Amino acid sequence: MRIRLVVGLALMVGLAGRAAGAQTADERRLVDLTNQARAEAGLKPVEWDLNLANAARTHALLMSQQGEISHRYTGEADLPERAASAGAHFSVIAENIAAGTTPGQIHGAWMQSKVHHDNLMNPEIDRIGVALVPARGTLYAVADFSKGVTQMTDAQVEATVGKALADKGLTLLPDADGARKYCALADGASSAGLRLKAGFLMRWQNADIGKLPPQLVQAVAGGQFKQAAVGSCPAQGGGSSGGPVFSGYRVAVLLF
């Protein structure tokens, strides 16, 4: 059977009929072939990511039901949102899809297609989730690749940013309620109703929360502020700060 491919989508859930986390032999084979190709090119292997696999399986099931392959169907979320909804955290994500008869066929076709090859061999990625769904004599394949980021709770995000500020000489305030409320405001919304008395307010979101934004660093370096409050909240909107917003962390800092 001729393998059909579409161009891979690259961007800077449920499980049916089996136990969560279980891989089929064909899915393991596709992962093994991926890591074999990466090893031959001197690249690090990718690790299995259950959340990516869940997102891949949901989409593969949809492809099998439609009897065709597509990266996105009418009414379906896009790749970053699908992966994030399944619990994945990432700063880079890409997807390969195909319909074929064996893992070897599918892998071989991906390696011969520049876009699919580049997704699979991307030196930045370190995680993979694969789903192969058989239907009508065809294997519907989805491989989601990502560069994963550490999954953190709001408390961990606040502690991470708080430490970075403390290291710069600021005293952290124990009451983070105002910062959390400011964090939760929609971008562009006025903070006047919160009656915050901070001299500097900033909120941002990013997949990597370990580095303070330049504007905040500059404000702290001025020496005008001595205290800070840090609040975290769910990421929102369609921002452009360092990767798909769905995978990011949102944080606000108030300086006093």
Side-chain angles (χ1 to χ4, degrees), residues 11 72 77-91 93 149 205-207 234-239 241-250:
L11 298 169
R72 189 178 185 185
D78 64 9
L79 171 60
E81 188 170 6
R82 293 199 309 264
S85 295
H89 285 254
F90 47 86
S91 58
I93 190 163
V149 298
Q205 52 196 45
N206 201 314
Q236 59 180 255
S241 54
V245 64
F246 305 105
S247 69
Y249 301 102
R250 187 174 176 89

Side-chain angles (χ1 to χ4, degrees), residues 9 13 54-66 68-83 85 95 97 142 144 246:
L9 171 66
V13 283
N54 287 346
R57 171 148 290 269
T58 297
H59 189 66
L61 285 167
L62 187 55
M63 290 199 307
S64 71
Q65 293 163 5
Q66 296 289 327
E68 61 180 10
I69 60 176
S70 173
H71 282 290
R72 189 178 185 185
Y73 296 97
T74 301
E76 185 186 26
D78 64 9
L79 171 60
E81 188 170 6
R82 293 199 309 264
S85 295
E95 180 175 84
I97 60 176
V142 177
D144 288 340
F246 305 105

Side-chain angles (χ1 to χ4, degrees), residues 129-178:
V130 170
L132 290 171
V133 175
R136 300 173 297 279
T138 298
L139 279 179
Y140 291 89
V142 177
D144 288 340
F145 310 95
S146 78
K147 178 179 180 181
V149 298
T150 302
Q151 297 187 33
M152 303 172 69
T153 64
D154 284 344
Q156 289 172 323
V157 171
E158 291 174 2
T160 298
V161 175
K163 182 180 184 305
L165 292 171
D167 288 344
K168 293 184 178 297
L170 293 176
T171 299
L172 294 180
L173 298 175
D175 184 3
D177 185 60

